Amino acid sequence: MSRLTRRVLVGGLAAAPLARPALIRAQSTSKPVRIGLLSDMGGPYRDVGGPGNKVATELAIQDFGGSVLGRPIEVLQADDQNKPDVAAALAREWVDSGVDVLADGAASSSGLAIQQIAREKKRIYLITGPATSDLTGKQCSPYGIHFSYDTYALAHGTGGALTRAGGDTWFFITADYAFGYALERDSMAAVKAAGGKVLGNVRAPLGTADFSSYLVQAQASGAKVIGLANAGTDAQNCIKQAAEFGLTKSGVRLATLLIQISDVAALGQGVCAGLSYTDSFYWDMTDKTRAWSKRWSAGMGRVPGVLHAGSYCATLHWLKAVQAVGSTDADAVAAKMKALPVNDFYNTNVKIREDGRVMHVMYLWQVKPPSQARYANDFCNKVATIQPADAWRPLDQGGCPLVKA
C-alpha cells in the first residue's frame, strides 16, 4: 500500500464519526460497494462540505437500506487539499483500487481534475462541492452529474436581481482560481445582460486573510455593488472586513455570490443582515427539510448547508440507479440517473439533463436581522423562487459536446 493510500484511509476514517467500515465487512463476505469522497478537510471549504458531506452520505445509505445489490456499502473520505494534482492522484488511485463512484471535489479546480480522471476511468462522478459551470459546459463528461448549484445559477440569481434593483455598477473581488474565474465570468455576463456595467476587478489568492487592499480598490472604483466571487472563509473574511471598514454604511452593497448557512453562523446574523444570495436548499424550508436537518445536526452540532443536502441527494440517486440497472457499470448507471427523476426530502421530480446538470429549483434568500429571528438558526427569508428554466444556463449555450445540435 502506498504512503498516499495509507494517509487517505487513516484520514478518511478519522474524519467520519458515523463510519464503521471494519464492522460492515465483518457482517458480509460480499465485496463492498465503495463511495469515495474527495473533500476539503482543513481548508476554506471544510465547514461548507468536509466531514459534513460524509455524514450526509451515510444518512443517504441508511435511508436506502444500508446495502445495494446484496452488498454492503463503504464510504471513504480524503483531503484533496483543494489542489488539482492531489485530487487527480487520489481519484486515480482509488479507482484503480476498486472505488465504485467518486463524489464531492471541494474546489472547482480539484473538481475539474477529478472529472478528467473519472472520464478516463469510466467512473461516475457525483459533483457537489465544485461550482464552476464548466463541469457541464465545455469540460462536461458522460459520467459527471452536477448537483446543488453552479456559477451560472448563482450569478444570474443574485447578480441579475441586484442589477435590476438599481445596483447597476459593479466591481469584483475574485478568488484567483477556476471557481472564482467562472463565477466572475458568469456574474459579469448577468450584470451586463441586466443593463449594468463592470468598473473593474481584482484577484485574491485562495486562503487570503487580509482583504483590506482589495476592498480599498473596490471602494475607489465608485461601484454601487462589490461582487464577492469567492466562498468559504475567504468570503467570510471579506464580508467581516467590509463591515469593519463601514463600506455598507457608506451606501455600497455587497453581492455575496456564494455564501452558505455556515458562513452566516460563523460571522453572526447581525454582520450578514441584509445580504442576498442564491441557493437550492435552506434547512428551514419545509417539514421534510427540518426533519432531515435535525438528523444531520445530531452528528455535527449545527445546521446543514446546500453541499450537505446535495451529498445526500447525489448518493441516494446514484444508489437508486445502481439498484435499477443491477450493476455499478458507469455507462448504464449514468443513463439510468438521467432517466430517473430526482426525488428526496428537498427535490420533487427534478430532471437531469444530458450535459449532467441537475435542474433544481433555485431560491433567492435574504439574511434577516437578528431582531426578526424566531428561534435558533432562523437566518433567512425567501425573496423569490427561480424556476429551473430561468435558473440554469440554456442547454445549447454551454458548449458541452454531449449535447446534440
Side-chain angles (χ1 to χ4, degrees):
M1 182 183 290
S2 72
R3 185 164 66 103
L4 180 61
T5 300
R6 285 197 301 272
R7 176 173 60 79
V8 167
L9 292 178
V10 172
L13 298 181
L18 302 184
R20 298 290 185 273
L23 178 60
I24 292 172
R25 286 194 292 270
Q27 294 172 337
S28 174
T29 57
S30 299
K31 179 183 177 183
V33 170
R34 303 174 78 193
I35 300 171
L37 305 180
L38 294 158
S39 308
D40 178 352
M41 301 300 289
Y45 306 137
R46 183 185 190 279
D47 288 344
V48 299
N53 283 354
K54 188 165 189 180
V55 172
T57 298
E58 290 170 338
L59 287 175
I61 293 168
Q62 178 183 326
D63 290 348
F64 189 74
S67 64
V68 66
L69 307 180
R71 297 162 59 186
I73 304 167
E74 178 178 307
V75 184
L76 303 177
Q77 186 170 45
D79 187 356
D80 69 13
Q81 303 173 46
N82 297 313
K83 296 178 180 178
D85 57 338
V86 174
L90 290 169
R92 187 180 300 277
E93 185 169 343
W94 270 2
V95 171
D96 289 345
S97 67
V99 169
D100 295 282
V101 62
L102 300 170
D104 194 357
S108 290
S109 51
S110 299
L112 290 166
I114 297 166
Q115 175 117 303
Q116 180 60 32
I117 300 301
R119 183 188 295 111
E120 293 174 5
K121 297 287 188 177
K122 294 189 176 182
R123 283 293 194 279
I124 299 290
Y125 175 28
L126 306 174
I127 308 162
T128 57
T132 177
S133 59
D134 292 342
L135 285 159
T136 54
K138 294 180 180 179
Q139 298 195 49
C140 71
S141 163
Y143 308 111
I145 311 293
H146 201 173
F147 293 81
S148 305
Y149 58 14
D150 70 18
T151 52
Y152 182 96
L154 297 171
H156 284 253
T158 304
L162 289 179
T163 302
R164 287 189 291 272
D168 55 3
T169 55
W170 286 62
F171 186 98
F172 287 90
I173 299 175
T174 302
D176 193 11
Y177 76 106
F179 155 70
Y181 309 152
L183 186 53
E184 179 189 82
R185 176 198 67 206
D186 291 342
S187 298
M188 285 182 175
V191 168
K192 292 174 183 177
K197 291 183 178 181
V198 177
L199 303 185
N201 68 315
V202 65
R203 302 282 170 82
L206 182 65
T208 293
D210 184 1
F211 282 88
S212 57
S213 64
Y214 307 117
L215 290 166
V216 168
Q217 290 181 62
Q219 186 176 33
S221 74
K224 296 177 182 177
V225 181
I226 299 174
L228 305 185
N230 52 18
T233 54
D234 286 353
Q236 291 178 22
N237 287 334
C238 208
I239 293 167
K240 180 167 59 178
Q241 289 165 32
E244 291 170 352
F245 289 170
L247 284 185
T248 54
K249 292 181 179 179
S250 70
V252 176
R253 298 190 68 174
L254 284 185
T256 48
L257 298 166
L258 177 51
I259 64 166
Q260 298 184 40
I261 288 299
S262 58
D263 301 317
V264 177
L267 289 166
Q269 194 165 352
V271 171
C272 296
L275 296 180
S276 299
Y277 71 100
T278 303
D279 209 337
S280 64
F281 170 78
Y282 176 53
W283 77 272
D284 202 18
M285 286 196 301
T286 67
D287 288 343
K288 287 183 177 180
T289 61
R290 284 186 284 273
W292 184 85
S293 297
K294 184 177 180 179
R295 293 171 63 203
W296 185 92
S297 297
M300 295 301 297
R302 51 191 173 87
V303 292
V306 64
L307 301 189
H308 307 127
S311 293
Y312 177 98
C313 169
T315 301
L316 185 64
H317 194 65
W318 180 77
L319 289 170
K320 289 177 180 179
V322 167
Q323 188 69 49
V325 302
S327 168
T328 58
D329 175 76
D331 288 294
V333 173
K336 182 57 69 173
M337 289 182 74
K338 292 175 182 177
L340 290 174
V342 178
N343 284 290
D344 51 56
F345 70 93
Y346 84 109
N347 294 287
T348 303
N349 293 328
V350 169
K351 176 184 177 183
I352 301 178
R353 294 193 313 204
E354 52 262 51
D355 60 355
R357 163 43 49 204
V358 181
M359 302 292 285
H360 301 281
V361 176
M362 298 293 283
Y363 304 92
L364 184 65
W365 304 95
Q366 186 171 52
V367 180
K368 63 176 71 174
S371 60
Q372 294 181 14
R374 298 162 294 172
Y375 37 76
N377 302 311
D378 179 23
F379 293 134
C380 297
N381 288 317
K382 184 171 69 174
V383 176
T385 299
I386 309 171
Q387 295 302 322
D390 299 319
W392 305 102
R393 180 177 57 207
L395 187 59
D396 61 353
Q397 293 182 15
C400 173
L402 302 175
V403 177
K404 296 178 181 178

